[in-house]
Amino acid sequence: MINSKIIVGKDSISKLNYEGFYNECKSILVIYDILSEINSTKSKIKKAFGKDIKITYFKVKALERANTEIVDSCLKVLKDISADLIICAGTQISHNVGKAVKYILTCNINSFGDICDKKEDIKNLEQNNDIKLIFITDASGNHQQILTGYFEVLDNKSNTLYRFNKQCTIPYAVLVDEKVLDKLSNTAKVGIRIASLIMGLIVITNVTNQQEKIAAMTAMDICFDENSNLSNLLTAEMYAGYDFLNLKDNVLNEFILSAIDETGEIYSLILLLTMQKSIKNIVSSLSAEDIKLLGLPFKIENVQNDDDWREKFAGIIENKLKIYFDDKDIPKKLNEIGLNSKQIEDIFEELNSSLGYSENLAKLKDICYINY
């Protein structure tokens, strides 16, 4: 069950005024990057709150990693101004920094280094902390984790990347404001649409509880609408990602995160490259009940039976993938970033050592070699 309030549409940021009043805010910390300045998010935040609430800005570098130094600096600013609300605007780094700061506050420790060095028994320190997180999206993608408690922080001292998924860092609200979203090419939108579809399909073929499928089904309904605008597609990415990242023993997600470290590419692209030749296998796993729930997406016509539906549905997705990868608007390098065998072996050696050998990991490795 999604625990965040999601506000989508034009001038969504203006509704921050209500959030500030409702939560009796006096001091707000805004974590932002240069993209938030370019697309006017920063100025809209200031305008939304007016003059009665103190706003302090903490700038991070767009598209870089959150690290211990940045997190601890941000924490100091937050404590100095006695902030009672955190707003994260921009790319994934601002979200990661915000979640990391919230986690430190919840653990009631002095720095992120205390977590990395394991100086404290963190589990015993976790407590309630009522400071709220509000996220504002942009068009950079990588929003599949935004509704979850997932975040990453690089420990500069040991050059170790830490990944967390904590209930306390789930955002109070997420705003998808149409007026501040950068324009994306139709090809980029296709990539978000198909990646969200695939995440949704994997979810509904791997869980039986209908409550655990709701977000994924909602995401897929948005993706089936060919007229869905960018704000709706980003919302679909968040919904699909919520259920997908919460799948138990999700080794595919672990592989994608490791592949991102190797290639520097975005989450949705790695997902599409990995699964592009496995669409029929995923679709063939859909039950008759799931097919009824999905209906006739993309105007599928003249369906004879469930197997006929599966064949036509898989064909539509495969065709969309072909168009996506063949489109002239995609830089050639994106068709060539496939990992080489040494990189794949290194990733799976790391996964085996951290997760332990499993049949799912072995199957995933075979899939990766087929696609890369």
Side-chain angles (χ1 to χ4, degrees):
M1 183 68 68
I2 291 176
N3 296 315
S4 306
K5 181 191 300 184
I6 302 169
I7 306 172
V8 183
K10 294 180 180 179
D11 291 320
S12 297
I13 295 176
S14 65
K15 295 180 174 59
L16 284 171
N17 183 43
Y18 168 79
E19 299 300 337
F21 175 79
Y22 178 78
N23 291 290
E24 300 180 343
C25 295
K26 295 179 180 179
S27 178
I28 295 173
L29 176 65
V30 177
I31 304 170
Y32 75 102
D33 56 33
I34 192 171
L35 293 183
S36 299
E37 293 182 296
I38 294 172
N39 65 19
S40 75
T41 298
K42 183 183 175 184
S43 62
K44 284 182 177 290
I45 293 172
K46 184 176 182 180
K47 183 178 179 181
F49 286 110
K51 299 179 180 180
D52 296 330
I53 298 176
K54 180 183 177 182
I55 301 178
T56 303
Y57 297 95
F58 183 88
K59 189 173 183 177
V60 295
K61 291 184 179 180
L63 305 178
E64 290 194 3
R65 283 200 186 280
N67 61 50
T68 49
E69 182 179 342
I70 294 171
V71 171
D72 289 344
S73 296
C74 186
L75 177 67
K76 183 179 184 305
V77 172
L78 180 140
K79 289 183 175 180
D80 288 344
I81 65 172
S82 300
D84 43 29
L85 178 67
I86 302 172
I87 297 176
C88 304
T91 56
Q92 196 172 28
I93 181 174
S94 66
H95 306 154
N96 283 333
V97 171
K99 287 182 177 182
V101 168
K102 173 65 186 289
Y103 187 48
I104 293 174
L105 292 171
T106 302
C107 294
N108 194 28
I109 55 178
N110 296 320
S111 73
F112 207 87
D114 290 339
I115 296 174
C116 298
D117 295 338
K118 297 181 180 179
K119 293 178 180 177
E120 306 280 0
D121 185 355
I122 301 301
K123 288 184 179 180
N124 291 334
L125 289 173
E126 290 183 27
Q127 57 188 347
N128 292 329
N129 184 287
D130 58 3
I131 190 167
K132 290 182 171 62
L133 288 171
I134 294 180
F135 293 160
I136 302 175
T137 64
D138 61 20
S140 64
N142 281 340
H143 293 317
Q144 67 286 330
Q145 86 296 336
I146 202 169
L147 296 176
T148 71
Y150 175 85
F151 64 99
E152 296 179 350
V153 177
L154 177 66
D155 178 16
N156 292 343
K157 184 178 178 181
S158 63
N159 195 31
T160 301
L161 180 65
Y162 287 87
R163 293 169 178 155
F164 299 86
N165 196 348
K166 300 294 182 180
Q167 186 75 17
C168 64
T169 62
I170 293 175
Y172 163 73
V174 176
L175 279 59
V176 187
D177 192 317
E178 292 179 10
K179 285 194 173 182
V180 302
L181 292 177
D182 302 320
K183 293 182 179 179
L184 285 184
S185 68
N186 288 332
T187 301
K189 291 179 182 176
V190 169
I192 294 174
R193 186 188 302 274
I194 305 173
S196 300
L197 272 174
I198 291 175
M199 283 191 287
L201 285 171
I202 292 173
V203 169
I204 66 175
T205 56
N206 280 277
V207 299
T208 56
N209 187 317
Q210 291 299 317
Q211 291 297 317
E212 295 176 355
K213 298 183 182 184
I214 290 177
M217 292 295 295
T218 301
M220 294 178 70
D221 284 342
I222 295 172
C223 294
F224 292 153
D225 182 0
E226 298 285 10
N227 296 317
S228 295
N229 58 24
L230 179 56
S231 60
N232 287 331
L233 289 176
L234 291 178
T235 303
E237 182 181 47
M238 294 188 301
Y239 274 127
Y242 174 82
D243 278 345
F244 180 71
L245 266 67
N246 283 316
L247 280 177
K248 186 178 180 181
D249 300 325
N250 188 345
V251 294
L252 174 57
N253 178 58
E254 296 297 327
F255 170 78
I256 293 171
L257 294 175
S258 298
I260 289 172
D261 290 339
E262 290 282 350
T263 63
E265 295 296 344
I266 64 173
Y267 192 99
S268 60
L269 179 62
I270 299 296
L271 171 66
L272 295 179
L273 282 169
T274 305
M275 305 307 295
Q276 62 180 316
K277 296 180 181 178
S278 301
I279 302 303
K280 286 184 178 178
N281 289 336
I282 299 173
V283 173
S284 66
S285 299
L286 288 169
S287 67
E289 182 181 353
D290 290 330
I291 291 174
K292 288 180 181 178
L293 289 173
L294 293 173
L296 297 174
F298 301 122
K299 299 180 180 179
I300 294 177
E301 296 178 342
N302 302 320
V303 176
Q304 303 299 318
N305 50 46
D306 287 348
D307 286 337
D308 186 33
W309 185 98
R310 292 185 182 97
E311 183 177 352
K312 290 179 177 178
F313 183 59
I316 290 172
I317 298 178
E318 288 175 334
N319 186 58
K320 289 181 179 295
L321 268 172
K322 183 179 186 305
I323 293 172
Y324 174 71
F325 283 114
D326 288 347
D327 196 288
K328 63 182 179 181
D329 291 335
I330 296 182
K332 185 179 179 182
K333 74 182 185 70
L334 296 188
N335 287 324
E336 298 176 346
I337 68 165
L339 302 173
N340 60 43
S341 58
K342 183 181 184 305
Q343 289 172 310
I344 290 177
E345 290 296 332
D346 288 344
I347 288 174
F348 278 94
E349 182 178 350
E350 179 183 345
L351 292 177
N352 282 324
S353 62
S354 59
L355 303 177
Y357 175 82
S358 70
E359 185 178 345
N360 285 337
L361 268 178
K363 289 180 179 178
L364 179 58
K365 186 175 181 180
D366 292 338
I367 290 174
C368 290
Y369 273 112
I370 290 172
N371 284 281
Y372 288 96

